[in-house]
Amino acid sequence: MSKFFDYLKTRTFRKNLIIAAISITAFLLIIFYSLGFYTHHGEGMPVPKLKGLTVERAIELLEAGGLRYQINDSVYLIDKAPGIVVEQDPDPNTNVKANRTIYLIITRDAPNIKFPDIAGKTYLEVRSILNNYQLKIGDTSYVSDVARDVIISSSFGGNTITKGQQVPKGSKIDLILGDGLGASEVDIPNLLGLNLSEARLSLLGSSLVLGQVTYEGAVRDSVSARIIRQFPAISDTLSKVSIGTQIDVVLGN
């Protein structure tokens, strides 16, 4: 053992140690620069930003840059149209070599769901139900009905939709609600051709009131005179009035 330690102190050992260190360093440097030369270290191109683009536009950019692509997955996002790039790998501006494959995740069409039961429920209830099903409220309109803000019917794409039917998630549902005036409105009766007594009975049956009575022309017998005009009259835009409304009439021979 003493001879080994004596050898470590000799000039020959130090010389061999220095030669070995230089040789190892030179070898490592050669390997490093050789790999850099072989792999074209530092050369390449930045990956374009593809997020938010349509998949067709993203493919155009990648092919123009000599890059490949692969659609790795697709996801549904309620606020994005199908066919939009939402993720990419590598990230934008990453330096890559030609022919490198860029992996994409794009949005897909909305899946279908069963439409919930909303008939007869209030608008506030339905708004919460549709939100839970990831559906949106479209147009709302009102019809005469005793129940105020209660769903009378619902439609999608112009067609009536009911519980259990398939509808794409994220769709807009149009609603028809009651205006709460159904119990206070009645149909306007047609009084034309009736005499005054008959008109009074008809109005009484409709919970309406006879208003101003006027005559047109020379009326010799008011009992036999017939109603030739009434106000308000039945029209395409007016068919109902509130209970207790006065109806004016004009009688003639």
Side-chain angles (χ1 to χ4, degrees):
M1 183 63 73
S2 60
K3 290 182 179 180
F4 175 73
F5 285 110
D6 290 339
Y7 172 72
L8 295 179
K9 297 177 183 179
T10 62
R11 184 176 181 181
T12 301
F13 172 75
R14 290 195 297 270
K15 181 179 179 181
N16 290 336
L17 182 62
I18 293 172
I19 293 173
I22 293 173
S23 299
I24 292 173
T25 302
F27 176 76
L28 292 176
L29 289 173
I30 291 171
I31 293 296
F32 177 78
Y33 285 109
S34 296
L35 286 175
F37 176 78
Y38 178 75
T39 60
H40 303 284
H41 181 70
E43 296 181 9
M45 64 190 72
V47 177
K49 181 180 179 182
L50 306 174
K51 295 180 183 178
L53 301 180
T54 63
V55 66
E56 292 82 7
R57 179 55 181 158
I59 291 172
E60 287 180 8
L61 291 177
L62 293 174
E63 290 181 342
L67 299 171
R68 299 179 180 179
Y69 72 93
Q70 179 177 320
I71 298 175
N72 222 24
D73 198 2
S74 61
V75 295
Y76 166 69
L77 297 177
I78 192 171
D79 58 342
K80 290 189 181 296
I84 302 297
V85 177
V86 291
E87 291 293 340
Q88 66 178 91
D89 182 30
D91 291 328
N93 299 318
T94 302
N95 218 36
V96 298
K97 297 177 180 60
N99 289 323
R100 171 71 182 270
T101 299
I102 308 301
Y103 298 95
L104 306 176
I105 297 178
I106 64 172
T107 54
R108 66 169 181 261
D109 289 323
N112 285 337
I113 59 172
K114 288 185 178 180
F115 191 69
D117 183 13
I118 63 172
K121 293 182 170 57
T122 66
Y123 177 79
L124 291 178
E125 290 176 312
V126 169
R127 185 171 64 180
S128 177
I129 292 172
L130 294 182
N131 184 62
N132 290 338
Y133 277 77
Q134 295 188 39
L135 296 171
K136 300 176 181 178
I137 293 179
D139 296 331
T140 57
S141 56
Y142 288 83
V143 296
S144 179
D145 193 85
V146 64
R148 181 173 178 80
D149 289 333
V150 169
I151 305 302
I152 305 299
S153 66
S154 54
S155 61
F156 167 66
N159 299 315
T160 300
I161 185 169
T162 57
K163 175 186 176 182
Q165 288 184 258
Q166 295 290 324
V167 60
K169 189 179 290 187
S171 299
K172 288 185 176 182
I173 306 300
D174 298 329
L175 302 175
I176 297 178
L177 304 94
D179 59 8
L181 301 176
S184 62
E185 290 189 333
V186 293
D187 292 327
I188 301 174
N190 184 10
L191 304 179
L192 301 182
L194 303 181
N195 61 33
L196 201 55
S197 296
E198 292 169 339
R200 283 195 177 97
L201 287 175
S202 179
L203 292 173
L204 181 63
S206 298
S207 299
L208 300 174
V209 178
L210 180 64
Q212 184 177 2
V213 179
T214 57
Y215 293 88
E216 185 176 278
V219 177
R220 292 182 297 274
D221 184 3
S222 60
V223 175
S224 63
R226 300 288 172 172
I227 294 174
I228 58 176
R229 286 192 297 277
Q230 68 180 74
F231 307 97
I234 302 172
S235 67
D236 292 337
T237 57
L238 181 65
S239 62
K240 292 180 179 290
V241 291
S242 299
I243 290 175
T245 297
Q246 289 189 348
I247 307 296
D248 301 331
V249 296
V250 177
L251 292 96
N253 286 326

